[in-house]
Amino acid sequence: MLIETPGRRLQAVVNKLVAIPTQGNHVAHNVPTAIFPFKRSVNRGRQAVESAPLARQLGGEYALLILGHDIDRIAASVAAMRQIFAKSGDSLLVNANGKLFINCATITPRVHLEVEELAEKAGAHSLEACMASSITQARDGSLYLMCGGKKEAFRIAQPILEKLGKTVRYVGKAGEAAKVKALVNMVMNINTAGLAEGLGLAEALGLDLTMLREIFSETGAASRVLQTDGEDMQNREHSCFFSAAHAAKDSGIALDLARELGLDLPLARATKQQYDAMTAEGLGELDKSGIAELTFKNRHQHGGDHV
């Protein structure tokens, strides 16, 4: 596939797909190798830069790279992203001419803009493909993808993105999809915290939670998180699909954007405080539904203090 770009032609031949780290590996699991040969997976996880140079691990052969992220603090995520896209040294930008980076990391819009600028200076393209989904959807190819960047980069990536997601939306220039993702997760986290409080109060009142969830689903209390997290909150089943630590980080991104614009978001702020409390007490690796452990009266040593 050839795409004309100002001053050069960018050839996007997907002869090697690399996924980093954990969530990227789940995404790559669904890529049909007959169409997009998948030869190597590099896991860069929480230690964003390991002893083996990243450029040597990738070998300069990759044509398309899916970047995930599992670092649960904003500062660490930003630092890691800037390190792997450094202008020199152990960087993905070594021999990056003609390459396409699909960046699924949940980071600040500003960093996505920086990555695009650095990639273009190296003769590459970068596209943010923010996922409004979890591991299950990543593995079965039903992701909801919100993309931001140059339109030509989106057109190059579109064939593979359509294999990864049931919905692929082009949002706009670099940084725009990251803004949308921040809002999606901010509202999701608020809804999750609100549901936990409603169910926690219901239990304290002696109500049947199964009955209440059914009524919620048929009234104005209905929500997506009621479907995904309500029963788990009731049964204390918090196997991790989206961690509390990540919820805290992502709410923090939205709050930072709001502060830059002079907006006060009290619900988002209170929700982040709850997820920060989970993380501080060693519960950060529970699923976001684990916020119910703070609101159900007899579950947590400080349960009553959170009402």
Side-chain angles (χ1 to χ4, degrees):
M1 183 188 307
L2 292 175
I3 299 294
E4 294 288 343
T5 60
R8 68 179 185 275
R9 299 172 73 195
L10 175 66
Q11 184 173 4
V13 180
V14 184
N15 57 17
K16 186 167 188 179
L17 172 63
V18 180
I20 64 174
T22 306
Q23 189 78 327
N25 287 334
H26 287 297
V27 172
H29 172 84
N30 188 64
V31 177
T33 56
I35 302 173
F36 303 105
F38 177 57
K39 299 181 180 179
R40 186 188 305 221
S41 173
V42 177
N43 191 333
R44 301 291 287 184
R46 296 182 183 277
Q47 284 73 41
V49 178
E50 300 168 346
S51 57
L54 181 57
R56 190 170 76 234
Q57 290 188 58
L58 297 177
E61 302 172 15
Y62 59 93
L64 186 144
L65 178 69
I66 295 179
L67 293 165
H69 226 273
D70 64 357
I71 296 175
D72 55 25
R73 289 175 291 116
I74 297 174
S77 298
V78 169
M81 193 60 56
R82 285 173 173 159
Q83 194 165 3
I84 63 176
F85 281 104
K87 294 180 181 179
S88 60
D90 183 18
S91 169
L92 290 174
L93 298 180
V94 174
N95 299 321
N97 185 58
K99 307 302 188 295
L100 170 62
F101 301 100
I102 298 179
N103 194 336
C104 300
T106 303
I107 50 177
T108 63
R110 181 179 295 109
V111 176
H112 277 294
L113 286 166
E114 291 178 15
V115 169
E116 181 185 68
E117 181 179 356
L118 290 168
E120 290 184 348
K121 286 181 178 178
H125 268 205
S126 174
L127 181 77
E128 62 200 79
C130 301
M131 298 181 288
S133 310
S134 66
I135 291 172
T136 301
Q137 290 75 38
R139 291 188 66 85
D140 66 18
S142 61
L143 290 167
Y144 192 106
L145 296 170
M146 301 161 288
C147 302
K150 297 289 185 356
K151 285 186 177 180
E152 56 264 37
F154 176 71
R155 286 196 293 268
I156 293 168
Q158 196 167 3
I160 192 169
L161 294 176
E162 289 175 349
K163 298 295 181 182
L164 305 177
K166 66 177 182 180
T167 302
V168 180
R169 296 199 59 166
Y170 177 72
V171 175
K173 63 185 181 180
E176 297 300 290
K179 294 175 185 177
V180 174
K181 173 67 180 291
L183 293 173
V184 167
N185 283 5
M186 181 192 80
V187 173
M188 176 183 70
N189 293 341
I190 291 171
N191 287 342
T192 305
L195 176 63
E197 293 189 0
L199 293 178
L201 177 57
E203 184 193 56
L205 291 169
L207 295 174
D208 183 305
L209 295 189
T210 300
M211 172 272 293
L212 183 66
R213 287 191 295 105
E214 291 173 355
I215 292 175
F216 277 1
S217 71
E218 297 168 351
T219 62
S223 69
R224 176 64 177 164
V225 293
L226 173 63
Q227 299 174 33
T228 60
D229 293 5
E231 185 176 5
D232 291 342
M233 291 179 179
Q234 179 178 343
N235 296 330
R236 305 187 75 175
E237 170 51 58
H238 305 306
S239 299
C240 189
F241 293 91
F242 182 76
S243 73
H246 276 86
K249 173 180 72 74
D250 294 354
S251 288
I253 291 173
L255 285 167
D256 285 345
L257 292 173
R259 275 190 289 269
E260 291 173 4
L261 297 170
L263 291 176
D264 180 35
L265 305 179
L267 292 179
R269 187 172 65 251
T271 299
K272 185 179 186 303
Q273 288 171 352
Q274 286 285 77
Y275 281 118
D276 283 339
M278 287 185 66
T279 303
E281 296 184 25
L283 303 177
E285 295 309 309
L286 293 182
D287 188 78
K288 71 183 189 303
S289 64
I291 197 171
E293 298 303 306
L294 301 183
T295 58
F296 278 62
K297 188 172 183 179
N298 297 318
R299 291 188 180 182
H300 191 267
Q301 60 179 335
H302 301 303
D305 299 337
H306 289 269
V307 176

